[in-house]
Structure formats: C-alpha cells, structure tokens
Amino acid sequence: MSDTTQNGPVLAADGTPLKRSLARALRMQKMRALMLIAPLLLFVVITFIAPIADMLFRSVENKIVATTLPNTVVALQDWDATGDAPPAEPVYESLYYDMFVAAEAKEHTKLGSRLNYEQTGLSSLFRSSGRRLDDAGEAQIDALEDLNPAWEDPAFWYALMDAGSGAADDDLLAAKRKQMTELTDIDHGVDIGFAPRADISQLLPKTADAYTLFALFTAVEDEDVVAEEEPWEAVKVALVQDLQEGADVSSYTGPGAAELAAAQTALAELPAMNFKEVFLDIDKDWGSVDNWSTIQTYSPRYTSGYFLNAIDMQKGPDGPEARPENQQIYMMLFKRTLFMSLVITGSCILLGYPVAWILANLPMRTANLLMILVLLPFWTSLLVRTSAWKVMLQQQGVINDVLVWLGLVADDARLVMINNQFGTIVAMTHILLPFMILPMYSVMQTIPPSYLRAAKSLGANNWTAFWRVYFPQSVPGIGAGSILVFILSIGYYITPEIVGGTTGTFISNRIAYHISSSLNWGLAAALGAILLAVVLLLYYAYDKIVGIDNVKLGG
Amino acid sequence: MKLTKILLASTSLTLAAGLVQAQEMANDMTLVSWGGAYQSSQQNAYVAPYLEANPDVTAVWDESSAEAVAKLRAMNEAGNITWDLVDVVASDAIRLCDEGLAMEYDPDELLAPGDDGTPASDDFGDLIVSDCFIPQIVYSTTFGYRTDMVGDTPPTKICDVFDLETYPGKRSLEKRPINNMEWALLCDGVAKDEVYDVLGTPEGQERALAKLDTIKDEVIWWSAGADTPQLLADGEIVMGSTYNGRLFSVIEEQDQPVAMLWDAQVFDLDGWIIPAGLPEDRLARVKDFVRFATDTQRLADQAKYISYGPARASSAPLVGEHAELGIKMAPHMPTDPENAKNTFLYNYEFWADYRDDIDAKFQAWLAK
C-alpha cells in the first residue's frame, strides 16, 4: 500500500497528508481508550506484575557479597583462583575491616548463609569468625592503652578525629555513608555529629576510615553520641597500622599530637599487624583456595549462578561446568513435571469428554443436577480430597481391601498405588477434572443437535456423524480445558507432596523447599523463571500449531 | 513446700505485674506454634495462666511454625512484623539468627532464674544453642513399631530398621537427610562419635546413601509429623520415625498396638525466638510473657500435657503425672535415664553448614 498517488500524497481537508491525519485521529482514540483502562492496568501492574518481576529479579541479583565485603571484593579481583596459593595480605587486611563492621551490624552471617549455598562450610566460617575478630591485634592495642589511658577515652578520640570548625574530608564521609547504607539497608545520610578532619585523614588514612565507619554506626544504628563512645577495636588496629607504616606525625600539630608521637615510638618495637595470621588462627579454612575462589566467583552484583544451578550446572573458575552427577536433579524434575502434566491433561480429556457430552445433551433439569455433582468436589478443600485419595489407594486402603476380598489380589501382594507417579496422576486428574469439564461443556452446549441429525439424514453412521461433524466443533473446548489443566498441573505442589512419594514429585516441590526451608530464594526464583519460560514457550507453540483463536472458554 | 512455692510464684508474679505496669506494654500478642497437642500443652501450661493473671491481655495463636523461617523473612522484607513470639526448632532458630530475623537476648536478663536460684544461663546450660534461641523442651526423634507385626522379637536396636529379613514390610522415614544419614552410618559400623566426621566427607555421604539404598524400596517418606502416627495406626508400616510426643499420643492416648524403640534416638530442641524489630511496647509485653512462660514451674507444668522434657535442669524434679490419664510422665520423657541409655546428639553446627550440600545429594538420590 502506498499513500502517494502519481500526483503526490493524498491530502485531507486541512491540507495535511491523509495518512498523518488519520494516524493522529487514531492515536487520539487509542489514548482515550488507554485512559479508560488505565486504572485497571495500573492495578494489575502494581499488584501482580511488579511483585512477580521483583521475585524473578532475585534469580540474578547477588549484591550481598559486594555490599558486605566491599573492599575485599576489590582487593580480590587480581587474585588467581586457578593457582593453589591463597590470596596475599592486602586481601586479608580488607577482609578484617569489612568483616568487623559487618559483624557489628550483624550482616556477616547473612553473607555466610548466602555463600554456603555454593560452598559448604562458609556458613559457620563466617558465623564463628565474626565473633572472634575482636581479639585481633590485642597485644598492640594493650600496649597503646598502657602507654596512655587517653586511648580509651571517647572524648580524646573524638577531639583527635573530628573536624570541628576546621577542614573536613567530605569525600571520605560520603563514601562511608554509601558503604554503610548499602550494608545495612538503613539510610545513613542523616546528621551524625561528626566529620573526619581533613589533615588526619591525610596523615592516618586507615584510622580515619575506620573511625568514620564507627561514628556512622554509633550515631545511626546505636543512636548514641559519637563523642561519648569508645571506638571499637578495628579503629585502634587501624591506628596501630598507620603508625607502624610510618605516618609522619611530626608535622602534625592538632589535638593529640603528643600522644600520637609517643604511640608511634612505642609501637615501633611491636610486631606489625598480620591479618592473614589472624584469620588463619581463627579458622584454617580461611586459607582454603576453594573458599576464596567461591567469594571471588560470586563477587559481581549480578550472577548467572542461580540459573546455572537450576539447570544442574555450576560456576567454576573457568566458566560454567556440569554439577557432579550425584547432585543433578532439576533437569530430571523439569522433564518429569512436563511429562506427568501431559499425562494428567490426557487423562482429564478422556474422562471429561463423555461427562461434558452427557451434561450438554441432557435436559436442563437433570443437567443442572449433574453439574452440581461435578462442582461438588470443587467446594471441598484440596487437602481433604488429596487425603481421601490416600485412604482409598494405600496398601491397607479401600481399593486394596476390596480387591483382596474379591480374591483378585493376594493379601501379601497388595498393589502399591500411592507414594508414586500413579498416585499423583490419579489424585491430580480427579482434582483438575472440573477445569476440563466446564469449558468443554460450555462449548458443547452451543453445538446445535440438529447438525448431528442432519449428518445422519445424509447417510452418516453414528461414528462418522460424531467424528466428522460433532467432534471438530468441540475441539475449542478441549483446547481451553487442556491449557487450563496443563498450566495448573505444571505448578502444582500440595498434591504431589502428599501422595507423590519420591517418584511422583514435581519441580514445584523443590521450589517450595527452597522458598520455605532452605531460604535459597534466588534458586527458587530461577527455577520459577524457567518454569514460566517453559509455559510461555508451550503456549506459543500451541498458538502456532492449533491457534489460540480456536480456544473457547464459553459459548 | 509446694504451697509456699505457689505462693512465692504468685507473689513474685503480682510484683512483676505491678512493676511492669509502669512500662508501656501492648495488650495483644500473636504467638506462633505448631498446632496440635504441642500447642495445647503450651496453652494449658502457661498461656492460660498468664492471661488469667493479666486479664487485659489477649493472645492469638498462629499455627505457622513449620513455615516460620520463610514467613518471618517475608514479613521482615515487607517491614511489617505481625508475630510477637515464634516457636521453632533449634536449627531454624540458628538460621533465623544468622539472617538477622530473630532478636539476640541475654539469658540472665530476660529469663527468670531457676527456683533454686540458679541463673538462667546455667539452668538452661548448653541448650541455649544460639544467641537468639530460648529453649523450652527437649524432644527426640525416634522409631515406633507395630507390636502385632513384629512377631515375638520386637526390635530393640536402631539397626533393626535396616534389617529387612527379620522385620519385612514398609517403614517410614522423614524426607530429608537429617537424622537418616546419621542412623545409616551408625548401622554401617561407624562409631557414634565419628559419625559427623565421616558424614563431612563425600565418601561418607555416599556410604550413608548406599546404606539407605538397601531399604529404599521399602520406605515411605514423610514430611508432616502426623504422617508416621497415622501410617502406624493404619498398619501401613511396620515401623517409622517421628517425634516421641506423637508416639506417646498414639500409644497412651489412642491405645494403638504400637511401642517405642528407645535406641539412638536423636535429641533435639524446640523453643521460642523473638522476631527482630518489634516495636517497644510489644517487645515489653513479649519479654514479660517469656519470663513467665519459661520459669521452672511453667516448663515442668508443660510436661503434664505432652511427653517432652523441660529444657531447664531445675524443672526436671517437678515433672509429675499426665493431666488426664494420671500416669507418671517421667518414664515417657526422652530425658529419662532408662530411655536415654543410648542417645544421639544432633550437631547443629554441622547441619547448618552441610544442609544445602547434603540435601542436594539426598534429593537427587531420592528421585533416582
């Protein structure tokens, strides 16, 4: 189609090209329609799509490593995980300062649980190390405090570190505010009654760094006054480090200058801080290459790790690799879920079609009565119906008892019909049957009985009349019912959990486990996302093959 | 003696009540527990007496302990904690504490000293397995068997569970690696104090699964505590693992032909945690309630209604008779010396670390 003629574009009455004029009119109409449905759209987006998107987002989100150990992650970047040497001292130093704050904020155990999903043992490593960091550098700190009790005096420390009316190091404060806000999810942008002195942060960078973190924590989390609290051990360790590394305190003349100079002289005789030793003393597992490689692999803020895990793979130092065979489970469960959902859908069609046909062809009064029978189980609790199947199918259950009584089955060879795939299929077919019958019924009701009579009067036998005339018209009902049943069953988990045993459970059972028991929500989200993608893919395929226009939920 | 004790308790209670009136305290509590016989033992032993002493207060039960960890996390993320006190098993308490979802507390400050004056931290002793966990009871996971299905030689050893020749038929085990892996190793010849060392290695895990493999076809896996008692009552299984209180109820209260196997039963703990981030007034009320509900007499009272051992050492001598059946409760307690001849201590630290790893292997093995 072209909107130009040989004489140029066709023009509307006001001289604009007709195409543009038409487009504008249509756009106006569309906008108006959109405005009308806007409240509903907003409602759906806010209450339905946003939470699902948020949940699925967890499958790639992984910022906890970078927010809990911000400096360690940076220091660890250049470490070679394929070698067999643990990282060097600077990494342990960053780890000490990061971990100290995290332990004070009680965030380190969260990271331990997170990393334990990838590497066994990290949970207790983080939990036990957090508590024991207070003892690091004890000798040096004691020496410092023995030298001058001022080092235990909150007011002295505050006078030394605070900018007062002088120049403040605003960049440092801003950076630490950001670090603490990310770590604790609490806003640290408030006034804390402290700003680091610019000259001190030049002279004693580590101390200023640690004290600023301490000040933020004291003011925001503990809601105390910074000047009245004694700094925690990490600040003193930082001072020891700064002084031992040869900070030039002779040029400094502010408050505490004399004490600093004295401390530097005294500390020169003590051994330097060795953080690697500190950590290896706490737990030798801090020297394990595997542990460090896990931390390094999972340090980016976004990870494909959960998705890899969901398809039985894992992140190795050289990229994705298959999990050990004895840990592979999810692909098998996905396949089983799809297969069993198909079987359940198939058996629902077989059982539901005749029922729907009878319902549609009986007189109204009887049909309504029968309809109540179809709907009755619908109004009974799902758990009750599932448990009822347990009573029916178990080895000492009703069916087995009847079979034994009839002599069809020997008493010592009772049939195993539950806690396996068979049990799940039977129970779920029963539970989902109404979802198949109802759309079929409403479609069949619209097929005029005269068509069948016409077919027969033209010479068709019963079967031909049904197969060539009636059945094709009822297909949209089958389609709608199948989609409903299939999509419902693919996400089922209560029934498989109760009657499925080990061979009849679905992928949803693992999702439920990771949501409620192992708290590995990232993996649960990844599994859920894959399940959603599979359903959408099948829906797309169905649309291409059968055509979604052929699906009817009612007349 | 008893009278003075009650008098003392009630005076201190009124005193405490008078003292705390000064503080702002919320008057509604939402308590979370497991439902069933266990929850009613709590209701009878300390919730009802507390409400009687504080007529303004109302308490609502929420039977969500099984999903407590996930629900608390969701509440925390939503920033709206609706629970005031949550009953969880110790391993969940550790997890909640790690996740920052439970409040850390100081035992000697929050909890009452024992009636003999022992500070709470000593009275509960090692049972305070986490900084957030307030122990209430000691329970054990053990086996029950049908007396009419085992012939003249009832099982006496844990390894009889793995003996399909002498005891043919189905058995039920919990659908998780915890406990099952330990029992499998014990019966595969590993010494009791080496079980966790062996289980910490991939070979040890394979070994445990191989042992479980020998009975896999005969196992019904349960996930709800009520499953095994039901299966036993129906005669679906010969023997099955469950909590000893559930078995007590099947044997003594429902009079079923079932007996208990006291061998290598796994000791475990159940108790309260206070959710992190409660508002001041609700926290004050909960603290007041917890102090009352975990004192020596209250914990001993709970044992009248259910056969779980009180977590306080000072409560043990006070354990009396069943409130309705009138039978002595001490012989049914997992802590009774006669029953505790060969017990197995659950290692929380180990499972906190290995749970994810071993569970993946266990589930993959199950699905095979």
Side-chain angles (χ1 to χ4, degrees):
Chain A
M1 281 278 275
S2 163
D3 59 343
T4 55
T5 64
Q6 277 159 340
N7 306 324
V10 179
L11 299 183
D14 60 354
T16 51
L18 184 59
K19 187 178 180 184
R20 199 187 304 161
S21 175
L22 180 69
R24 190 185 299 150
L26 283 179
R27 193 162 60 238
M28 287 287 284
Q29 262 185 351
K30 268 189 198 149
M31 287 298 285
R32 212 173 299 150
L34 202 67
M35 295 270 278
L36 275 175
I37 62 146
L40 177 68
L41 193 70
L42 268 177
F43 177 79
V44 170
V45 166
I46 292 171
T47 63
F48 189 68
I49 299 183
I52 291 182
D54 177 64
M55 193 68 207
L56 293 183
F57 179 63
R58 289 166 192 270
S59 60
V60 288
E61 195 253 42
N62 185 49
K63 66 178 198 301
I64 184 166
V65 187
T67 56
T68 314
L69 306 175
N71 303 311
T72 317
V73 163
V74 176
L76 196 59
Q77 257 167 7
D78 301 327
W79 175 66
D80 176 19
T82 50
D84 47 9
E89 175 71 9
V91 173
Y92 287 96
E93 183 190 325
S94 311
L95 180 67
Y96 170 76
Y97 291 114
D98 285 344
M99 187 93 128
F100 195 96
V101 183
E104 290 293 334
K106 302 200 175 65
E107 298 283 333
H108 64 301
T109 48
K110 276 188 211 174
L111 178 62
S113 314
R114 161 68 187 98
L115 290 173
N116 203 62
Y117 298 136
E118 319 297 343
Q119 174 75 24
T120 298
L122 285 177
S123 168
S124 68
L125 188 61
F126 276 84
R127 193 180 319 119
S128 62
S129 305
R131 274 185 228 128
R132 297 178 51 190
L133 280 183
D134 294 355
D135 305 338
E138 221 175 359
Q140 287 92 332
I141 293 175
D142 285 350
L144 196 65
E145 288 169 356
D146 287 347
L147 187 72
N148 191 338
W151 294 114
E152 288 175 87
D153 176 20
F156 170 77
W157 271 101
Y158 186 75
L160 175 67
M161 306 303 298
D162 187 47
S165 54
D169 187 345
D170 292 326
D171 294 345
L172 176 68
L173 186 59
K176 294 295 136 186
R177 280 187 199 276
K178 182 160 170 278
Q179 182 184 338
M180 288 302 288
T181 305
E182 285 207 316
L183 175 68
T184 58
D185 264 340
I186 300 170
D187 181 25
H188 281 70
V190 293
D191 179 37
I192 57 164
F194 167 79
R197 269 174 92 100
D199 51 351
I200 282 286
S201 86
Q202 280 285 322
L203 185 69
L204 309 168
K206 285 172 181 159
T207 319
D209 206 294
Y211 192 87
T212 309
L213 284 174
F214 157 77
L216 281 164
F217 186 86
T218 311
V220 178
E221 249 93 337
D222 291 347
E223 296 175 3
D224 289 327
V225 180
V226 180
E228 291 169 9
E229 298 297 317
E230 190 188 344
W232 55 39
E233 287 82 353
V235 176
K236 295 176 184 172
V237 167
L239 179 69
V240 168
Q241 253 201 311
D242 275 332
L243 291 177
Q244 283 184 336
E245 282 169 9
D248 179 21
V249 295
S250 56
S251 60
Y252 171 75
T253 52
E259 286 87 347
L260 277 177
Q264 191 166 35
T265 326
L267 285 170
E269 288 159 24
L270 286 170
M273 288 298 302
N274 184 340
F275 293 103
K276 189 169 184 174
E277 215 164 80
V278 167
F279 277 98
L280 291 180
D281 269 355
I282 292 175
D283 199 316
K284 64 173 177 16
D285 284 349
W286 280 116
S288 144
V289 175
D290 284 348
N291 287 347
W292 280 108
S293 138
T294 306
I295 297 175
Q296 193 188 42
T297 313
Y298 285 91
S299 49
R301 287 176 177 245
Y302 297 96
T303 179
S304 57
Y306 291 122
F307 273 103
L308 288 176
N309 200 339
I311 53 169
D312 291 331
M313 294 175 75
Q314 63 190 13
K315 273 179 99 113
D318 319 312
E321 59 196 30
R323 281 191 166 260
E325 189 132 0
N326 63 0
Q327 289 184 15
Q328 296 185 3
I329 175 167
Y330 298 115
M331 288 312 281
M332 193 269 278
L333 281 178
F334 273 119
K335 282 183 210 148
R336 182 197 283 169
T337 306
L338 289 179
F339 169 74
M340 285 181 59
S341 298
L342 280 176
V343 173
I344 290 162
T345 311
S347 47
C348 276
I349 295 175
L350 286 181
L351 289 174
Y353 197 90
V355 178
W357 188 83
I358 293 174
L359 278 174
N361 286 286
L362 280 176
M364 212 45 166
R365 273 176 65 108
T366 346
N368 278 344
L369 191 72
L370 275 181
M371 187 54 112
I372 290 175
L373 291 181
V374 170
L375 290 177
L376 200 60
F378 230 16
W379 302 329
T380 322
S381 152
L382 175 72
L383 271 173
V384 172
R385 278 183 286 162
T386 309
S387 307
W389 275 112
K390 241 173 142 168
V391 177
M392 293 288 284
L393 295 175
Q394 64 185 6
Q395 281 191 291
Q396 306 293 327
V398 177
I399 294 180
N400 263 314
D401 280 349
V402 170
L403 290 176
V404 169
W405 181 71
L406 289 174
L408 294 173
V409 167
D411 199 10
D412 54 355
R414 287 168 175 252
L415 303 177
V416 182
M417 295 184 289
I418 203 160
N419 296 322
N420 53 19
Q421 291 198 358
F422 182 78
T424 306
I425 290 170
V426 169
M428 280 184 61
T429 302
H430 169 235
I431 285 162
L432 293 175
L433 202 50
F435 292 98
M436 183 64 89
I437 294 177
L438 292 177
M440 278 183 175
Y441 167 68
S442 57
V443 167
M444 285 179 185
Q445 248 192 339
T446 63
I447 304 173
S450 52
Y451 285 11
L452 271 184
R453 290 201 291 272
K456 283 184 197 166
S457 73
L458 290 171
N461 60 19
N462 279 345
W463 170 249
T464 321
F466 166 76
W467 186 244
R468 298 282 299 277
V469 175
Y470 193 87
F471 182 76
Q473 296 185 79
S474 66
V475 163
I478 300 179
S482 303
I483 288 191
L484 267 180
V485 170
F486 184 78
I487 290 178
L488 280 174
S489 64
I490 217 171
Y492 240 60
Y493 84 95
I494 298 178
T495 307
E497 181 69 33
I498 295 176
V499 298
T502 57
T503 56
T505 48
F506 283 13
I507 190 74
S508 324
N509 296 99
R510 289 313 287 165
I511 297 180
Y513 168 80
H514 286 303
I515 289 276
S516 66
S517 202
S518 79
L519 282 195
N520 193 350
W521 287 10
L523 179 55
L527 290 168
I530 293 176
L531 198 58
L532 183 64
V534 168
V535 171
L536 290 179
L537 197 73
L538 287 172
Y539 187 80
Y540 174 78
Y542 183 89
D543 185 31
K544 283 283 152 212
I545 299 164
V546 184
I548 216 67
D549 300 341
N550 282 330
V551 165
K552 276 193 195 141
L553 282 167
Chain B
M1 177 67 194
K2 202 153 198 189
L3 190 68
T4 35
K5 215 169 261 169
I6 293 171
L7 275 176
L8 262 175
S10 50
T11 20
S12 60
L13 193 72
T14 23
L15 265 178
L19 275 177
V20 288
Q21 286 305 314
Q23 275 179 298
E24 266 310 294
M25 276 208 263
N27 278 337
D28 301 299
M29 282 191 296
T30 305
L31 309 174
V32 183
S33 187
W34 301 90
Y38 180 65
Q39 185 177 309
S40 38
S41 78
Q42 295 177 309
Q43 170 74 22
N44 289 329
Y46 32 77
V47 177
Y50 183 81
L51 296 184
E52 217 165 285
N54 299 274
D56 297 340
V57 181
T58 52
V60 185
W61 286 105
D62 186 336
E63 304 179 1
S64 298
S65 281
E67 306 100 48
V69 184
K71 285 198 172 174
L72 266 176
R73 191 193 217 184
M75 283 183 195
N76 188 280
E77 291 199 357
N80 180 20
I81 314 274
T82 58
W83 292 347
D84 294 302
L85 194 59
V86 188
D87 192 285
V88 288
V89 293
S91 53
D92 282 346
I94 292 175
R95 199 158 270 238
L96 286 166
C97 211
D98 278 358
E99 293 279 338
L101 298 171
M103 190 187 86
E104 290 184 9
Y105 75 101
D106 175 3
D108 292 327
E109 189 191 318
L110 178 68
L111 306 175
D115 63 349
D116 50 0
T118 330
S121 52
D122 289 338
D123 208 9
F124 286 104
D126 293 342
L127 302 189
I128 304 178
V129 292
S130 152
D131 296 334
C132 304
F133 182 60
I134 309 165
Q136 283 175 90
I137 54 140
V138 176
Y139 69 96
S140 67
T141 307
T142 187
F143 279 85
Y145 58 88
R146 288 281 298 201
T147 46
D148 54 350
M149 287 165 77
V150 292
D152 302 331
T153 52
T156 52
K157 292 263 163 285
I158 183 73
C159 298
D160 293 341
V161 173
F162 293 88
D163 183 355
L164 286 176
E165 253 169 56
T166 325
Y167 305 101
K170 299 262 181 202
R171 38 272 272 148
S172 70
L173 294 174
E174 191 172 1
K175 202 187 212 167
R176 60 171 199 176
I178 298 172
N179 297 352
N180 296 328
M181 301 290 268
E182 286 100 319
W183 284 324
L185 283 184
L186 277 179
C187 293
D188 204 34
V190 177
K192 203 158 76 174
D193 49 357
E194 283 168 17
V195 165
Y196 284 112
D197 294 337
V198 176
L199 202 51
T201 63
E203 300 76 37
Q205 292 153 16
E206 286 300 314
R207 192 171 159 191
L209 289 177
K211 182 71 182 174
L212 284 169
D213 222 30
T214 59
I215 55 168
K216 191 180 176 188
D217 291 342
E218 294 297 313
V219 174
I220 294 176
W221 301 94
W222 60 269
S223 41
D227 286 347
T228 293
Q230 186 59 48
L231 291 167
L232 278 171
D234 286 352
E236 275 284 298
I237 52 172
V238 183
M239 53 180 93
S241 69
T242 188
Y243 315 124
N244 71 292
R246 300 266 188 181
L247 284 173
F248 172 80
S249 148
V250 171
I251 298 167
E252 298 293 341
E253 289 167 11
Q254 295 164 26
D255 221 6
Q256 296 285 334
V258 172
M260 236 187 277
L261 174 63
W262 289 112
D263 184 46
Q265 70 265 29
V266 182
F267 262 145
D268 205 343
L269 304 167
D270 191 272
W272 299 114
I273 59 104
I274 302 174
L278 283 187
E280 288 292 325
D281 56 336
R282 279 167 60 195
L283 184 61
R285 170 60 68 197
V286 168
K287 282 183 165 173
D288 186 53
F289 172 73
V290 164
R291 194 177 175 86
F292 172 78
T294 55
D295 70 13
T296 302
Q297 186 60 45
R298 251 40 65 178
L299 286 186
D301 284 350
Q302 192 178 359
K304 278 192 222 162
Y305 304 98
I306 197 147
S307 64
Y308 293 134
R312 269 182 192 269
S314 63
S315 297
L318 303 180
V319 171
E321 290 171 350
H322 190 279
E324 280 153 34
L325 301 175
I327 50 172
K328 271 206 182 321
M329 289 303 278
H332 297 281
M333 293 292 169
T335 40
D336 188 68
E338 194 60 26
N339 300 332
K341 276 181 196 154
N342 182 25
T343 60
F344 191 85
L345 272 185
Y346 178 85
N347 187 333
Y348 296 101
E349 195 97 315
F350 176 87
W351 279 112
D353 276 346
Y354 283 84
R355 174 162 146 161
D356 300 310
D357 181 34
I358 297 188
D359 191 77
K361 289 177 182 167
F362 182 79
Q363 296 296 340
W365 169 80
L366 264 189
K368 256 195 299 201

